[in-house]
Amino acid sequence: MPANKACPVVLRQGAGLEILAFRHPLAGLQLVKGSIEAGEASAAAAVRELAEEAGVQGIAVRPLGIWRSGFPGQVWAFHECQVAQALAESWSHRCGDDGGHEFSFFWHPLAEAPSEQWHPLFQQALAFLRECLAGN
């Protein structure tokens, strides 16, 4: 099964490598992710999802890997994205998808194990990303 979900990965160097994440008001801590539309490349979907869910304009600079999530029908394509603007330590963005939720963004240290506040699927996604980025 080809990838049907795109996950933009925005990284920054803090005390260590940090990844952009957010608090979903109903579903815990997560990474930006969304469906790849018919005929859309996964890199383009990652850039689109970053704009829609975080309000951030970016460009996909490299693929990081494909992950079979174990969740029925979800194969994720991860793409590292660079953004044009400097991003704040934290901010909120109202997402038009999923009923118009407000997402609270923050930076999560990639080396830090995710707490139980992270949605279990995203805990596994973070482990996959740590493995992908370990050699880079």
Side-chain angles (χ1 to χ4, degrees):
M1 173 179 198
N4 59 357
K5 302 293 180 187
C7 186
V9 176
V10 179
L11 302 168
R12 76 171 189 182
Q13 192 64 45
L17 194 58
E18 298 174 327
I19 188 168
L20 183 63
F22 70 94
R23 178 178 301 280
H24 188 290
L26 303 175
L29 304 182
Q30 301 185 9
L31 302 172
V32 174
K33 171 196 65 79
S35 295
I36 299 171
E37 296 175 356
E40 185 178 37
S42 62
V47 169
R48 177 181 50 76
E49 289 294 336
L50 185 60
E52 289 176 1
E53 291 191 6
V56 173
Q57 299 299 315
I59 59 168
V61 293
R62 69 179 174 134
L64 295 174
I66 302 293
W67 179 57
R68 297 190 182 290
S69 70
F71 195 81
Q74 286 198 22
V75 178
W76 297 18
F78 290 93
H79 292 275
E80 183 177 359
C81 292
Q82 289 182 345
V83 298
Q85 73 265 37
L87 297 179
E89 195 64 30
S90 62
W91 73 92
S92 293
H93 178 74
R94 181 164 291 282
C95 180
D97 292 349
D98 199 23
H101 293 299
E102 184 148 331
F103 297 154
S104 299
F105 286 84
F106 65 96
W107 296 95
H108 175 76
L110 199 55
E112 183 179 296
S115 70
E116 68 281 347
Q117 293 181 15
W118 281 85
H119 185 283
L121 189 59
F122 289 92
Q123 289 180 29
Q124 296 170 28
L126 282 170
F128 175 82
L129 282 171
R130 277 194 298 278
E131 188 176 304
C132 288
L133 294 166
N136 297 331

Short mmCIF file of all heavy atoms in Angstrom, two decimals, residues 10-36:
data_model
loop_
_atom_site.label_atom_id
_atom_site.label_comp_id
_atom_site.label_asym_id
_atom_site.label_seq_id
_atom_site.Cartn_x
_atom_site.Cartn_y
_atom_site.Cartn_z
N VAL A 10 9.28 19.51 11.03
CA VAL A 10 10.03 20.77 11.17
C VAL A 10 10.93 20.60 12.39
O VAL A 10 10.45 20.29 13.49
CB VAL A 10 9.09 21.98 11.34
CG1 VAL A 10 9.89 23.27 11.51
CG2 VAL A 10 8.14 22.08 10.15
N LEU A 11 12.22 20.78 12.17
CA LEU A 11 13.22 20.58 13.22
C LEU A 11 13.92 21.89 13.54
O LEU A 11 14.01 22.77 12.68
CB LEU A 11 14.26 19.55 12.77
CG LEU A 11 13.73 18.17 12.39
CD1 LEU A 11 14.81 17.37 11.69
CD2 LEU A 11 13.23 17.45 13.63
N ARG A 12 14.43 21.99 14.75
CA ARG A 12 15.30 23.11 15.11
C ARG A 12 16.31 22.60 16.11
O ARG A 12 16.09 21.59 16.80
CB ARG A 12 14.52 24.30 15.66
CG ARG A 12 14.04 24.12 17.07
CD ARG A 12 13.47 25.40 17.65
NE ARG A 12 13.23 25.23 19.08
CZ ARG A 12 12.70 26.16 19.85
NH1 ARG A 12 12.35 27.32 19.34
NH2 ARG A 12 12.52 25.93 21.13
N GLN A 13 17.41 23.31 16.20
CA GLN A 13 18.45 22.95 17.15
C GLN A 13 18.27 23.83 18.39
O GLN A 13 18.35 25.05 18.30
CB GLN A 13 19.84 23.16 16.54
CG GLN A 13 20.96 22.57 17.34
CD GLN A 13 20.88 21.05 17.42
OE1 GLN A 13 20.64 20.36 16.45
NE2 GLN A 13 21.08 20.51 18.60
N GLY A 14 17.94 23.22 19.50
CA GLY A 14 17.85 23.92 20.79
C GLY A 14 18.98 23.37 21.64
O GLY A 14 20.12 23.30 21.20
N ALA A 15 18.65 22.93 22.84
CA ALA A 15 19.63 22.24 23.67
C ALA A 15 20.02 20.92 23.00
O ALA A 15 21.08 20.38 23.21
CB ALA A 15 19.07 21.99 25.06
N GLY A 16 19.13 20.42 22.16
CA GLY A 16 19.31 19.25 21.33
C GLY A 16 18.36 19.41 20.16
O GLY A 16 17.73 20.46 20.01
N LEU A 17 18.21 18.40 19.35
CA LEU A 17 17.30 18.48 18.22
C LEU A 17 15.86 18.46 18.73
O LEU A 17 15.49 17.62 19.54
CB LEU A 17 17.56 17.30 17.27
CG LEU A 17 16.93 17.39 15.89
CD1 LEU A 17 17.41 18.64 15.14
CD2 LEU A 17 17.28 16.15 15.09
N GLU A 18 15.05 19.42 18.24
CA GLU A 18 13.65 19.53 18.66
C GLU A 18 12.76 19.45 17.43
O GLU A 18 13.14 19.86 16.33
CB GLU A 18 13.40 20.86 19.38
CG GLU A 18 14.20 21.00 20.65
CD GLU A 18 14.07 22.38 21.28
OE1 GLU A 18 13.93 23.38 20.55
OE2 GLU A 18 14.11 22.44 22.53
N ILE A 19 11.55 18.92 17.64
CA ILE A 19 10.58 18.74 16.56
C ILE A 19 9.31 19.52 16.89
O ILE A 19 8.90 19.59 18.05
CB ILE A 19 10.28 17.23 16.35
CG1 ILE A 19 9.41 17.02 15.10
CG2 ILE A 19 9.66 16.62 17.60
CD1 ILE A 19 9.32 15.55 14.69
N LEU A 20 8.72 20.11 15.86
CA LEU A 20 7.48 20.86 16.04
C LEU A 20 6.34 19.88 16.34
O LEU A 20 6.17 18.88 15.64
CB LEU A 20 7.17 21.65 14.77
CG LEU A 20 5.92 22.53 14.83
CD1 LEU A 20 6.07 23.63 15.88
CD2 LEU A 20 5.65 23.14 13.47
N ALA A 21 5.57 20.18 17.37
CA ALA A 21 4.45 19.34 17.80
C ALA A 21 3.33 20.25 18.28
O ALA A 21 3.51 21.47 18.39
CB ALA A 21 4.91 18.41 18.92
N PHE A 22 2.18 19.66 18.55
CA PHE A 22 1.06 20.46 19.05
C PHE A 22 0.16 19.65 19.97
O PHE A 22 0.18 18.43 19.96
CB PHE A 22 0.25 21.07 17.90
CG PHE A 22 -0.56 20.08 17.10
CD1 PHE A 22 -1.89 19.82 17.41
CD2 PHE A 22 0.00 19.42 16.01
CE1 PHE A 22 -2.64 18.92 16.66
CE2 PHE A 22 -0.74 18.52 15.26
CZ PHE A 22 -2.07 18.27 15.58
N ARG A 23 -0.60 20.41 20.74
CA ARG A 23 -1.62 19.81 21.61
C ARG A 23 -2.96 19.93 20.90
O ARG A 23 -3.43 21.03 20.60
CB ARG A 23 -1.69 20.51 22.95
CG ARG A 23 -2.78 19.95 23.87
CD ARG A 23 -2.80 20.62 25.23
NE ARG A 23 -1.54 20.47 25.92
CZ ARG A 23 -1.14 19.37 26.58
NH1 ARG A 23 -1.93 18.32 26.63
NH2 ARG A 23 0.04 19.33 27.16
N HIS A 24 -3.57 18.77 20.62
CA HIS A 24 -4.91 18.73 20.06
C HIS A 24 -5.88 18.82 21.24
O HIS A 24 -5.69 18.11 22.24
CB HIS A 24 -5.10 17.42 19.29
CG HIS A 24 -6.36 17.34 18.51
ND1 HIS A 24 -7.60 17.21 19.11
CD2 HIS A 24 -6.58 17.35 17.18
CE1 HIS A 24 -8.52 17.16 18.18
NE2 HIS A 24 -7.93 17.25 16.99
N PRO A 25 -6.91 19.67 21.17
CA PRO A 25 -7.78 19.83 22.34
C PRO A 25 -8.54 18.57 22.75
O PRO A 25 -8.98 18.47 23.89
CB PRO A 25 -8.75 20.94 21.91
CG PRO A 25 -8.68 20.97 20.42
CD PRO A 25 -7.31 20.49 20.04
N LEU A 26 -8.67 17.59 21.85
CA LEU A 26 -9.41 16.37 22.17
C LEU A 26 -8.56 15.11 22.16
O LEU A 26 -8.98 14.10 22.70
CB LEU A 26 -10.58 16.19 21.19
CG LEU A 26 -11.58 17.33 21.09
CD1 LEU A 26 -12.61 17.06 20.00
CD2 LEU A 26 -12.25 17.58 22.43
N ALA A 27 -7.40 15.17 21.50
CA ALA A 27 -6.67 13.92 21.25
C ALA A 27 -5.20 13.94 21.67
O ALA A 27 -4.40 13.18 21.14
CB ALA A 27 -6.79 13.56 19.77
N GLY A 28 -4.84 14.79 22.59
CA GLY A 28 -3.48 14.76 23.13
C GLY A 28 -2.43 15.40 22.25
O GLY A 28 -2.73 16.13 21.30
N LEU A 29 -1.17 15.11 22.56
CA LEU A 29 -0.04 15.69 21.84
C LEU A 29 0.19 14.92 20.55
O LEU A 29 0.11 13.69 20.52
CB LEU A 29 1.21 15.66 22.72
CG LEU A 29 1.08 16.36 24.08
CD1 LEU A 29 2.40 16.31 24.83
CD2 LEU A 29 0.59 17.79 23.94
N GLN A 30 0.50 15.68 19.50
CA GLN A 30 0.62 15.08 18.17
C GLN A 30 1.64 15.83 17.32
O GLN A 30 2.11 16.90 17.68
CB GLN A 30 -0.73 15.15 17.44
CG GLN A 30 -1.85 14.46 18.13
CD GLN A 30 -3.14 14.46 17.32
OE1 GLN A 30 -3.17 14.83 16.15
NE2 GLN A 30 -4.22 14.02 17.94
N LEU A 31 1.91 15.25 16.16
CA LEU A 31 2.66 15.88 15.09
C LEU A 31 1.66 16.27 14.00
O LEU A 31 0.58 15.68 13.90
CB LEU A 31 3.69 14.92 14.49
CG LEU A 31 4.72 14.34 15.45
CD1 LEU A 31 5.53 13.26 14.76
CD2 LEU A 31 5.62 15.45 16.00
N VAL A 32 2.03 17.26 13.20
CA VAL A 32 1.19 17.61 12.06
C VAL A 32 1.16 16.42 11.10
O VAL A 32 2.19 15.82 10.80
CB VAL A 32 1.74 18.86 11.34
CG1 VAL A 32 0.95 19.16 10.07
CG2 VAL A 32 1.71 20.06 12.28
N LYS A 33 -0.05 16.07 10.63
CA LYS A 33 -0.22 14.94 9.71
C LYS A 33 -1.57 15.08 9.05
O LYS A 33 -2.51 15.59 9.66
CB LYS A 33 -0.14 13.62 10.46
CG LYS A 33 -0.53 12.41 9.62
CD LYS A 33 -0.83 11.18 10.44
CE LYS A 33 -2.01 11.25 11.33
NZ LYS A 33 -3.33 11.07 10.75
N GLY A 34 -1.66 14.63 7.82
CA GLY A 34 -2.95 14.65 7.16
C GLY A 34 -2.96 13.75 5.94
O GLY A 34 -1.93 13.19 5.55
N SER A 35 -4.11 13.64 5.34
CA SER A 35 -4.29 12.76 4.19
C SER A 35 -3.68 13.34 2.92
O SER A 35 -3.74 14.55 2.68
CB SER A 35 -5.78 12.51 3.95
OG SER A 35 -6.32 11.80 5.03
N ILE A 36 -3.13 12.45 2.12
CA ILE A 36 -2.64 12.80 0.79
C ILE A 36 -3.84 12.74 -0.15
O ILE A 36 -4.54 11.73 -0.20
CB ILE A 36 -1.53 11.84 0.34
CG1 ILE A 36 -0.34 11.91 1.31
CG2 ILE A 36 -1.09 12.14 -1.10
CD1 ILE A 36 0.72 10.83 1.09
#
